[in-house]
Amino acid sequence: MKNAGLAILLLCCACGLAPATAAAGGDERTEVWKGKMYSSTFRAAMCVAPDGKARGVLLLRRRSGEVDTYHFYGEERNGLISVRHGSGHRLEARQTSPATVEGALRLANGMKISFEADRESPGRVSGDCAPL
């Protein structure tokens, strides 16, 4: 029984490290976007696996200086990144040039905010795919 508990603990640790290893190991394509939405600025990172699974982190800096963090999960299909946040917010974006991306953030209440951002690929990201 003691060995079973140790095995479960090791398995949990390995699973927790898998996303960081994938991002650091180059199995995912990484991008960092920088842009503006109304009076706020944002930095977002997207990590896309070879099978199209996408994840990312959006850091939204309000005019007050406060930073809101949103973790998104979804997929990339035919060049369109489509990800969702647990709150119901959705983000869709497409690369428009090697240095730009444009898209829209649709809030859970239905409000749509279009954006254009500078794109850096590959982008420097943390293990949980947050922009560095």
Side-chain angles (χ1 to χ4, degrees):
M1 210 36 110
K2 187 186 284 186
N3 288 340
L6 180 60
I8 291 170
L9 177 63
L10 290 174
L11 180 62
C12 289
C13 290
C15 289
L17 293 176
T21 304
D27 292 343
E28 296 178 304
R29 185 184 80 244
T30 61
E31 300 182 7
V32 174
W33 307 342
K34 297 174 187 172
K36 192 171 185 175
M37 288 184 196
Y38 299 118
S39 62
S40 300
T41 59
F42 70 87
R43 291 181 345 125
M46 286 291 163
C47 297
V48 181
D51 66 358
K53 289 185 181 170
R55 62 193 179 104
V57 177
L58 174 77
L59 304 175
L60 183 67
R61 180 176 299 278
R62 297 188 216 173
R63 187 168 55 182
S64 66
E66 292 178 66
V67 177
D68 296 326
T69 302
Y70 299 93
H71 293 261
F72 288 88
Y73 299 90
E75 65 183 7
E76 179 184 52
R77 295 275 183 245
N78 301 318
L80 178 68
I81 290 177
S82 179
V83 292
R84 291 179 174 263
H85 181 260
S87 66
H89 301 329
R90 296 185 326 236
L91 184 141
E92 290 190 345
R94 181 179 304 277
Q95 177 183 336
T96 52
S97 80
T100 59
V101 64
E102 64 181 36
L105 175 65
R106 185 168 301 272
L107 303 178
N109 67 8
M111 183 178 172
K112 182 178 177 181
I113 304 169
S114 297
F115 68 88
E116 185 173 308
D118 294 328
R119 176 180 175 267
E120 185 180 312
S121 181
R124 287 181 12 119
V125 303
S126 68
D128 69 343
C129 196
L132 295 176

